[in-house]
Amino acid sequence: MVYIIRFEEENSGLVSSGISYVYETEEKARKMLKTIKNDELENYDENDILEITEDDDEFTIDLGDDYVKFVIEKCNIIK
């Protein structure tokens, strides 16, 4: 089992997504998710952010017409 941190963002109507990080433990993935959130918040003026929703495994920064989202997903590895 691995834990993938996937990102998704919408910017000017275009949606992008991909995998940012892969971890062997959920604890490491959650720690990195908190770091990513703090780094992302530094990119925006607080007046640009309409809402931040979050739980242990994801967060979304709502910017009105645009958004940024990061999610931890569990994935089985088949050898």
Side-chain angles (χ1 to χ4, degrees):
M1 174 85 61
V2 294
Y3 298 86
I4 296 168
I5 299 179
R6 181 180 57 81
F7 75 90
E8 180 179 310
E9 67 180 343
E10 181 175 355
N11 189 348
S12 301
L14 300 173
V15 177
S16 311
S17 67
I19 295 172
S20 296
Y21 299 93
V22 178
Y23 289 97
E24 292 180 353
T25 68
E26 190 172 13
E27 180 182 326
K28 288 180 182 179
R30 285 184 174 170
K31 184 176 178 181
M32 178 52 87
L33 189 66
K34 288 179 185 179
T35 299
I36 293 169
K37 180 184 156 210
N38 291 334
D39 290 347
E40 284 294 318
L41 289 174
E42 289 180 9
N43 292 328
Y44 304 102
D45 184 281
E46 67 180 51
N47 295 328
D48 295 334
I49 299 172
L50 292 181
E51 181 180 21
I52 300 171
T53 55
E54 64 183 309
D55 64 27
D56 289 339
D57 294 331
E58 70 179 77
F59 73 88
T60 303
I61 301 172
D62 185 347
L63 302 165
D65 292 336
D66 301 330
Y67 68 89
V68 177
K69 179 177 187 174
F70 286 83
V71 180
I72 296 173
E73 296 180 349
K74 297 175 188 174
C75 183
N76 287 321
I77 298 177
I78 301 172
K79 293 182 180 183

